[in-house]
Short mmCIF file of all heavy atoms in Angstrom, two decimals:
data_model
loop_
_atom_site.label_atom_id
_atom_site.label_comp_id
_atom_site.label_asym_id
_atom_site.label_seq_id
_atom_site.Cartn_x
_atom_site.Cartn_y
_atom_site.Cartn_z
N GLU A 239 4.23 9.41 28.51
CA GLU A 239 2.90 9.95 28.25
C GLU A 239 2.00 8.91 27.59
O GLU A 239 0.81 8.80 27.91
CB GLU A 239 3.01 11.19 27.38
CG GLU A 239 3.61 12.39 28.10
CD GLU A 239 3.95 13.54 27.16
OE1 GLU A 239 4.13 13.29 25.94
OE2 GLU A 239 4.06 14.68 27.64
N MET A 240 2.56 8.15 26.67
CA MET A 240 1.76 7.14 25.98
C MET A 240 1.34 6.03 26.95
O MET A 240 0.19 5.56 26.91
CB MET A 240 2.55 6.56 24.81
CG MET A 240 1.69 5.89 23.77
SD MET A 240 0.58 7.08 22.96
CE MET A 240 -0.29 6.01 21.83
N LEU A 241 2.25 5.61 27.80
CA LEU A 241 1.91 4.58 28.80
C LEU A 241 0.84 5.10 29.75
O LEU A 241 -0.06 4.35 30.14
CB LEU A 241 3.16 4.17 29.56
CG LEU A 241 4.17 3.31 28.80
CD1 LEU A 241 5.45 3.15 29.60
CD2 LEU A 241 3.58 1.94 28.46
N ALA A 242 0.92 6.37 30.11
CA ALA A 242 -0.09 6.95 31.00
C ALA A 242 -1.46 6.96 30.34
O ALA A 242 -2.48 6.64 30.97
CB ALA A 242 0.32 8.36 31.40
N LEU A 243 -1.51 7.31 29.05
CA LEU A 243 -2.78 7.28 28.32
C LEU A 243 -3.37 5.87 28.33
O LEU A 243 -4.59 5.69 28.52
CB LEU A 243 -2.58 7.75 26.88
CG LEU A 243 -2.40 9.23 26.61
CD1 LEU A 243 -2.16 9.47 25.13
CD2 LEU A 243 -3.62 10.02 27.09
N ALA A 244 -2.53 4.87 28.11
CA ALA A 244 -3.00 3.49 28.07
C ALA A 244 -3.53 3.06 29.44
O ALA A 244 -4.59 2.42 29.54
CB ALA A 244 -1.88 2.56 27.63
N GLN A 245 -2.82 3.41 30.48
CA GLN A 245 -3.24 3.02 31.83
C GLN A 245 -4.52 3.73 32.24
O GLN A 245 -5.41 3.13 32.85
CB GLN A 245 -2.10 3.28 32.81
CG GLN A 245 -0.92 2.33 32.61
CD GLN A 245 0.38 2.84 33.19
OE1 GLN A 245 0.44 3.93 33.76
NE2 GLN A 245 1.45 2.06 33.04
N GLU A 246 -4.63 5.02 31.89
CA GLU A 246 -5.86 5.76 32.18
C GLU A 246 -7.05 5.20 31.42
O GLU A 246 -8.19 5.27 31.90
CB GLU A 246 -5.66 7.24 31.84
CG GLU A 246 -4.69 7.95 32.77
CD GLU A 246 -4.25 9.30 32.22
OE1 GLU A 246 -4.79 9.72 31.16
OE2 GLU A 246 -3.35 9.91 32.81
N ALA A 247 -6.79 4.62 30.26
CA ALA A 247 -7.87 4.04 29.46
C ALA A 247 -8.32 2.69 30.00
O ALA A 247 -9.37 2.18 29.58
CB ALA A 247 -7.41 3.89 28.01
N GLY A 248 -7.54 2.11 30.90
CA GLY A 248 -7.91 0.81 31.45
C GLY A 248 -7.08 -0.34 30.90
O GLY A 248 -7.39 -1.50 31.17
N LEU A 249 -6.02 -0.01 30.16
CA LEU A 249 -5.11 -1.04 29.65
C LEU A 249 -3.96 -1.19 30.66
O LEU A 249 -2.92 -0.55 30.55
CB LEU A 249 -4.57 -0.64 28.27
CG LEU A 249 -5.59 -0.66 27.13
CD1 LEU A 249 -5.09 0.15 25.94
CD2 LEU A 249 -5.90 -2.08 26.70
N ALA A 250 -4.19 -2.02 31.65
CA ALA A 250 -3.24 -2.14 32.75
C ALA A 250 -1.92 -2.75 32.31
O ALA A 250 -0.85 -2.37 32.78
CB ALA A 250 -3.84 -2.96 33.88
N ASP A 251 -1.98 -3.71 31.37
CA ASP A 251 -0.78 -4.39 30.90
C ASP A 251 -0.28 -3.70 29.64
O ASP A 251 -0.60 -4.10 28.52
CB ASP A 251 -1.08 -5.87 30.64
CG ASP A 251 0.16 -6.66 30.25
OD1 ASP A 251 1.27 -6.10 30.36
OD2 ASP A 251 0.02 -7.82 29.83
N ALA A 252 0.50 -2.64 29.83
CA ALA A 252 0.99 -1.85 28.70
C ALA A 252 2.49 -1.68 28.83
O ALA A 252 3.02 -1.48 29.92
CB ALA A 252 0.32 -0.48 28.67
N ARG A 253 3.17 -1.76 27.68
CA ARG A 253 4.62 -1.54 27.72
C ARG A 253 5.08 -0.80 26.48
O ARG A 253 4.41 -0.80 25.43
CB ARG A 253 5.38 -2.85 27.88
CG ARG A 253 5.23 -3.87 26.78
CD ARG A 253 5.92 -5.17 27.17
NE ARG A 253 5.76 -6.22 26.19
CZ ARG A 253 6.62 -6.47 25.22
NH1 ARG A 253 7.72 -5.75 25.11
NH2 ARG A 253 6.42 -7.46 24.37
N HIS A 254 6.24 -0.18 26.62
CA HIS A 254 6.83 0.62 25.57
C HIS A 254 7.82 -0.24 24.79
O HIS A 254 8.67 -0.91 25.37
CB HIS A 254 7.55 1.82 26.23
CG HIS A 254 8.49 2.54 25.33
ND1 HIS A 254 9.78 2.88 25.70
CD2 HIS A 254 8.32 3.01 24.07
CE1 HIS A 254 10.36 3.52 24.72
NE2 HIS A 254 9.52 3.62 23.71
N VAL A 255 7.68 -0.23 23.46
CA VAL A 255 8.62 -0.93 22.58
C VAL A 255 9.37 0.13 21.78
O VAL A 255 8.82 0.72 20.85
CB VAL A 255 7.90 -1.90 21.64
CG1 VAL A 255 8.91 -2.61 20.73
CG2 VAL A 255 7.07 -2.91 22.42
N PRO A 256 10.63 0.42 22.13
CA PRO A 256 11.37 1.46 21.40
C PRO A 256 11.73 1.02 19.99
O PRO A 256 11.93 -0.17 19.73
CB PRO A 256 12.63 1.66 22.26
CG PRO A 256 12.78 0.38 23.01
CD PRO A 256 11.40 -0.15 23.24
N GLY A 257 11.79 1.98 19.10
CA GLY A 257 12.18 1.67 17.74
C GLY A 257 13.57 1.07 17.67
O GLY A 257 13.87 0.27 16.76
N SER A 258 14.42 1.42 18.62
CA SER A 258 15.77 0.86 18.64
C SER A 258 15.76 -0.64 18.83
O SER A 258 16.65 -1.35 18.34
CB SER A 258 16.60 1.53 19.74
OG SER A 258 15.99 1.36 21.01
N LEU A 259 14.75 -1.16 19.53
CA LEU A 259 14.63 -2.61 19.72
C LEU A 259 14.35 -3.29 18.39
O LEU A 259 14.90 -4.36 18.09
CB LEU A 259 13.52 -2.93 20.72
CG LEU A 259 13.27 -4.42 20.98
CD1 LEU A 259 14.49 -5.06 21.64
CD2 LEU A 259 12.04 -4.60 21.87
N LEU A 260 13.50 -2.67 17.57
CA LEU A 260 13.22 -3.23 16.25
C LEU A 260 14.47 -3.18 15.37
O LEU A 260 14.73 -4.11 14.59
CB LEU A 260 12.08 -2.45 15.58
CG LEU A 260 10.65 -2.90 15.90
CD1 LEU A 260 10.35 -2.83 17.40
CD2 LEU A 260 9.64 -2.04 15.14
N ALA A 261 15.25 -2.11 15.52
CA ALA A 261 16.49 -2.01 14.74
C ALA A 261 17.44 -3.15 15.10
O ALA A 261 18.04 -3.77 14.22
CB ALA A 261 17.15 -0.66 15.00
N GLU A 262 17.53 -3.44 16.39
CA GLU A 262 18.42 -4.52 16.84
C GLU A 262 17.89 -5.88 16.38
O GLU A 262 18.66 -6.77 16.01
CB GLU A 262 18.56 -4.48 18.36
CG GLU A 262 19.26 -3.23 18.88
CD GLU A 262 19.07 -3.06 20.37
OE1 GLU A 262 18.48 -3.96 21.02
OE2 GLU A 262 19.49 -2.00 20.90
N ARG A 263 16.58 -6.04 16.42
CA ARG A 263 15.98 -7.33 16.09
C ARG A 263 16.07 -7.66 14.60
O ARG A 263 16.34 -8.81 14.23
CB ARG A 263 14.52 -7.35 16.54
CG ARG A 263 13.79 -8.65 16.24
CD ARG A 263 12.36 -8.63 16.76
NE ARG A 263 12.29 -8.47 18.20
CZ ARG A 263 11.16 -8.43 18.89
NH1 ARG A 263 9.99 -8.53 18.27
NH2 ARG A 263 11.18 -8.28 20.20
N TYR A 264 15.84 -6.66 13.76
CA TYR A 264 15.68 -6.94 12.33
C TYR A 264 16.83 -6.44 11.45
O TYR A 264 16.90 -6.82 10.27
CB TYR A 264 14.38 -6.33 11.82
CG TYR A 264 13.14 -6.84 12.52
CD1 TYR A 264 12.26 -5.96 13.16
CD2 TYR A 264 12.85 -8.20 12.56
CE1 TYR A 264 11.12 -6.43 13.80
CE2 TYR A 264 11.72 -8.68 13.20
CZ TYR A 264 10.85 -7.78 13.83
OH TYR A 264 9.73 -8.25 14.46
N PHE A 265 17.71 -5.60 11.97
CA PHE A 265 18.73 -4.99 11.12
C PHE A 265 20.15 -5.23 11.61
O PHE A 265 21.08 -4.63 11.07
CB PHE A 265 18.47 -3.48 10.99
CG PHE A 265 17.22 -3.14 10.22
CD1 PHE A 265 15.99 -3.12 10.85
CD2 PHE A 265 17.29 -2.86 8.87
CE1 PHE A 265 14.84 -2.81 10.14
CE2 PHE A 265 16.14 -2.56 8.16
CZ PHE A 265 14.91 -2.54 8.79
N ALA A 266 20.33 -6.06 12.60
CA ALA A 266 21.67 -6.31 13.12
C ALA A 266 22.55 -6.98 12.06
O ALA A 266 22.10 -7.84 11.30
CB ALA A 266 21.59 -7.20 14.36
N ASP A 267 23.80 -6.55 12.01
CA ASP A 267 24.83 -7.18 11.17
C ASP A 267 24.54 -7.10 9.67
O ASP A 267 25.05 -7.92 8.90
CB ASP A 267 25.01 -8.66 11.57
CG ASP A 267 25.38 -8.82 13.03
OD1 ASP A 267 26.16 -7.99 13.52
OD2 ASP A 267 24.88 -9.77 13.67
N ARG A 268 23.75 -6.13 9.25
CA ARG A 268 23.54 -5.96 7.81
C ARG A 268 24.79 -5.38 7.17
O ARG A 268 25.38 -4.40 7.65
CB ARG A 268 22.34 -5.03 7.54
CG ARG A 268 20.99 -5.67 7.79
CD ARG A 268 19.87 -4.74 7.32
NE ARG A 268 19.89 -4.58 5.87
CZ ARG A 268 19.17 -5.29 5.01
NH1 ARG A 268 18.39 -6.26 5.47
NH2 ARG A 268 19.25 -5.07 3.72
N ALA A 269 25.19 -5.95 6.06
CA ALA A 269 26.39 -5.47 5.36
C ALA A 269 26.18 -4.09 4.75
O ALA A 269 27.14 -3.33 4.58
CB ALA A 269 26.78 -6.47 4.28
N ASP A 270 24.91 -3.75 4.42
CA ASP A 270 24.67 -2.46 3.76
C ASP A 270 24.48 -1.31 4.75
O ASP A 270 24.30 -0.16 4.36
CB ASP A 270 23.47 -2.54 2.82
CG ASP A 270 22.17 -2.94 3.53
OD1 ASP A 270 22.18 -3.08 4.77
OD2 ASP A 270 21.15 -3.12 2.83
N GLY A 271 24.46 -1.62 6.05
CA GLY A 271 24.32 -0.58 7.06
C GLY A 271 22.94 0.01 7.17
O GLY A 271 22.74 1.02 7.87
N LEU A 272 21.95 -0.57 6.52
CA LEU A 272 20.58 -0.05 6.59
C LEU A 272 20.07 -0.13 8.02
O LEU A 272 20.12 -1.19 8.65
CB LEU A 272 19.67 -0.86 5.65
CG LEU A 272 18.22 -0.39 5.56
CD1 LEU A 272 18.14 0.98 4.89
CD2 LEU A 272 17.38 -1.41 4.77
N ARG A 273 19.57 1.00 8.53
CA ARG A 273 19.04 1.05 9.89
C ARG A 273 17.83 1.99 9.92
O ARG A 273 17.81 3.01 9.22
CB ARG A 273 20.08 1.59 10.87
CG ARG A 273 21.31 0.74 11.01
CD ARG A 273 21.10 -0.44 11.91
NE ARG A 273 20.99 -0.05 13.32
CZ ARG A 273 20.91 -0.92 14.32
NH1 ARG A 273 20.90 -2.22 14.06
NH2 ARG A 273 20.82 -0.53 15.57
N PRO A 274 16.83 1.68 10.74
CA PRO A 274 15.68 2.59 10.87
C PRO A 274 16.08 3.89 11.54
O PRO A 274 16.93 3.90 12.44
CB PRO A 274 14.70 1.80 11.75
CG PRO A 274 15.16 0.39 11.72
CD PRO A 274 16.64 0.45 11.51
N SER A 275 15.48 4.99 11.12
CA SER A 275 15.66 6.26 11.81
C SER A 275 14.92 6.20 13.14
O SER A 275 13.97 5.44 13.31
CB SER A 275 15.13 7.41 10.96
OG SER A 275 13.77 7.21 10.65
N SER A 276 15.36 7.00 14.08
CA SER A 276 14.65 7.09 15.36
C SER A 276 13.47 8.04 15.20
O SER A 276 13.39 8.81 14.24
CB SER A 276 15.60 7.58 16.45
OG SER A 276 16.09 8.87 16.13
N GLY A 277 12.56 8.00 16.15
CA GLY A 277 11.44 8.94 16.11
C GLY A 277 10.08 8.31 16.27
O GLY A 277 9.12 9.00 16.66
N GLU A 278 9.95 7.02 15.96
CA GLU A 278 8.66 6.34 16.11
C GLU A 278 8.83 5.12 16.99
O GLU A 278 9.65 4.24 16.71
CB GLU A 278 8.10 5.94 14.74
CG GLU A 278 6.70 5.34 14.83
CD GLU A 278 6.12 5.00 13.47
OE1 GLU A 278 6.65 4.09 12.81
OE2 GLU A 278 5.13 5.64 13.08
#
Side-chain angles (χ1 to χ4, degrees):
E239 289 169 338
M240 200 65 181
L241 288 171
L243 284 178
Q245 290 160 0
E246 290 166 7
L249 291 162
D251 184 9
R253 62 186 177 94
H254 166 228
V255 180
S258 58
L259 179 64
L260 274 58
E262 294 165 6
R263 179 178 299 180
Y264 301 123
F265 292 84
D267 302 322
R268 286 188 66 95
D270 59 4
L272 183 67
R273 298 280 288 186
S275 57
S276 61
E278 185 177 67

